[in-house]
Amino acid sequence: MVAVLVLLSLLFLWSLVSERLARWSVTAPIAFAIAGFVLTSGDRPAVSLDLDTHTFQRIVELVLAVMLFTDATEAIGYERLGKTVGEGRLLGLALPASVILAVLFGALLFPGTNWWLLAVAALCVMPMDLAPVLMFLRDERIPLRVRAALNIEGGFNDGLISPLFVFCVANLLTTDGDTFTDLVVNALKGAGYAVLAGGLIGLVAAWLVRRCLEREWATPTGLRMAILALPFLAFAASVLIDGNGFVAAFVAGLCYARTAHAVGDDTLHLVYDASHLMALAVWFTFGALIAEEFADGIDLPVFGYALLALTVARIVPVVTALTGTRFSWAERLTVGWLGSRGVTSIVFAVLAYTQLTGDDAAFVVNVTCATVLLSVLLHGVTMEPIARWFGRHSEPAPPPAPADSAG
């Protein structure tokens, strides 16, 4: 109860002064992470978090489900570009290559570590999250295709990675004689059931929303409440039939997205606000993890792994994948560099922590916390210089077409 009281108090105070702190580049994630670090540090912390409970694990799973749903609904708002922004290359080529490079760097820096554990760590540290660079996406100095590429990639990569994460964790936990083939079959069945459950819920929800609006049966408030229930419905329905709840929530968001934008984005505002609130709680947890994991400093191999994950493992695949597209060299480097890490990585790490044991759990949390912390620092410092550079070198926007005076 103390943790709930503290989080709600922080939320209230932050809401009152958020505009002032934003001028000093103190974003909500940074503020809540600092609060988590300060309030959970020491021998007698003001707030105690027990990450080992089943209830906490279930809460984190629901947080991820809501995030995946909102990501799926947010990543389709760039139709006005008229062309793709390299999202297929980023998700189909750069993302797998980045994960593979992270696994190889892990094997180099942590010799003797189980390959499945290295895969789990790589899947935690490589999915990008735009929370640390959210202001960058609203900066008109940045070319629209750069912002669109980052937004679409950020919306889809965690949905693609989540089933792989579940599969790799299962390979580490298997103790009942299941073979690799059994695990693959179970993973495919879970994904299939999830697509069925999530797709059905998303499509039925889309049809019902349109019909109810046409007949004026629903109020805006009622619609917002209904949409808030969708990710939870998809997750619960999928788990009930032994499906992957994360995939179901993501697919439900994809199936409902176009209807949401067609009837008005205001129907999504409540679920977006809920996702944002949950994300702040995750950042508070991140501060607590930092206080616990790095009380004695960061080991050099862990720091090296985090640096390689943010630079080589991200930039090289992205720049290579976008070669030959409309992106200039500077734009390709920007998309590669600004693959910030945040809530998605933290949630995956906490899920690994609650399911793995001993040194395995500590390893995943350690490298993930180091990567996210370094990302917040490096990307936070470099956002404004990059925006200023584009402001000086970008081509001016074409003048608007003259209005038609006939009529």
Side-chain angles (χ1 to χ4, degrees):
M1 187 55 67
V2 173
V4 174
L5 177 63
V6 169
L7 282 173
L8 292 177
S9 300
L10 284 172
L11 177 64
F12 176 75
L13 294 174
W14 166 259
S15 300
L16 295 178
V17 298
S18 58
E19 184 63 26
R20 169 62 65 179
L21 293 179
R23 298 175 190 174
W24 303 333
S25 297
V26 180
T27 61
I30 293 175
F32 274 73
I34 292 173
F37 177 85
V38 172
L39 295 174
T40 61
S41 299
D43 296 330
R44 299 179 64 184
V47 177
S48 297
L49 294 179
D50 187 358
L51 306 184
D52 295 318
T53 63
H54 177 74
T55 301
F56 187 84
Q57 177 183 341
R58 187 60 71 190
I59 290 172
V60 172
E61 290 175 345
L62 291 174
V63 169
L64 182 57
V66 175
M67 288 171 48
L68 290 169
F69 178 87
T70 56
D71 284 347
T73 59
E74 280 185 315
I76 65 170
Y78 290 94
E79 291 87 349
R80 62 193 173 106
L81 285 173
K83 297 180 180 178
T84 63
V85 289
E87 63 270 24
R89 295 183 180 218
L90 289 172
L91 296 167
L93 298 176
L95 181 59
S98 294
V99 172
I100 292 171
L101 281 177
V103 171
L104 295 177
F105 287 143
L108 178 66
L109 291 170
F110 308 102
T113 302
N114 184 294
W115 284 95
W116 288 114
L117 184 60
L118 293 175
V120 170
L123 292 169
C124 286
V125 303
M126 290 317 301
M128 62 171 291
D129 178 75
L130 298 173
V133 295
L134 199 56
M135 290 183 292
F136 186 88
L137 294 181
R138 301 168 182 163
D139 198 321
E140 296 294 333
R141 293 172 294 179
I142 311 303
L144 179 59
R145 60 173 168 260
V146 172
R147 290 181 279 138
L150 287 169
N151 199 37
I152 294 173
E153 183 191 3
F156 282 96
N157 65 1
D158 45 2
L160 297 175
I161 278 181
S162 59
L164 295 176
F165 171 82
V166 172
F167 174 70
C168 291
V169 170
N171 274 278
L172 282 171
L173 294 177
T174 179
T175 57
D176 54 3
D178 287 341
T179 65
F180 177 77
T181 302
D182 294 332
L183 292 172
V184 171
V185 171
N186 289 336
L188 291 176
K189 286 171 58 179
Y193 293 151
V195 170
L196 179 64
L200 183 62
I201 287 174
L203 292 173
V204 170
W207 184 83
L208 287 174
V209 166
R210 288 180 180 271
R211 299 292 83 77
C212 290
L213 282 175
E214 289 172 359
R215 290 165 173 77
E216 298 183 349
W217 288 353
T219 64
T221 300
L223 281 178
R224 288 192 289 270
M225 293 291 290
I227 304 313
L228 176 60
L230 285 183
F232 300 103
L233 280 173
F235 181 89
S238 181
V239 171
L240 192 63
I241 59 174
D242 294 326
N244 186 311
F246 306 136
V247 173
F250 185 71
V251 171
L254 289 177
C255 292
Y256 179 73
R258 296 205 176 275
T259 291
H261 292 286
V263 302
D265 288 346
D266 56 329
T267 62
L268 293 169
H269 288 173
L270 184 58
V271 71
Y272 286 170
D273 289 342
S275 177
H276 183 61
L277 180 61
M278 292 176 175
L280 294 181
V282 172
W283 281 106
F284 185 89
T285 304
F286 172 67
L289 289 172
I290 291 294
E292 178 180 343
E293 295 297 321
F294 301 139
D296 299 322
I298 302 177
D299 294 337
L300 187 58
V302 173
F303 177 82
Y305 181 82
L307 187 60
L308 287 171
L310 293 173
T311 55
V312 180
R314 163 73 186 178
I315 296 174
V316 171
V318 168
V319 171
T320 303
L322 292 179
T323 299
T325 65
R326 297 181 297 143
F327 288 84
S328 68
W329 178 252
E331 290 171 347
R332 295 199 299 272
L333 281 176
T334 300
V335 174
W337 169 244
L338 286 178
S340 57
R341 313 300 200 274
V343 174
T344 304
S345 294
I346 301 168
V347 169
F348 280 146
V350 171
L351 288 175
Y353 180 88
T354 59
Q355 296 179 64
L356 303 179
T357 57
D359 293 339
D360 288 354
F363 171 77
V364 174
V365 171
N366 213 278
V367 296
T368 304
C369 286
T371 304
V372 174
L373 180 60
L374 194 58
S375 173
V376 169
L377 296 174
L378 293 180
H379 294 127
V381 168
T382 56
M383 271 193 306
E384 180 58 25
I386 292 173
R388 285 201 302 264
W389 188 91
F390 276 111
R392 292 193 303 267
H393 295 84
S394 295
E395 297 180 3
D404 186 359
S405 60

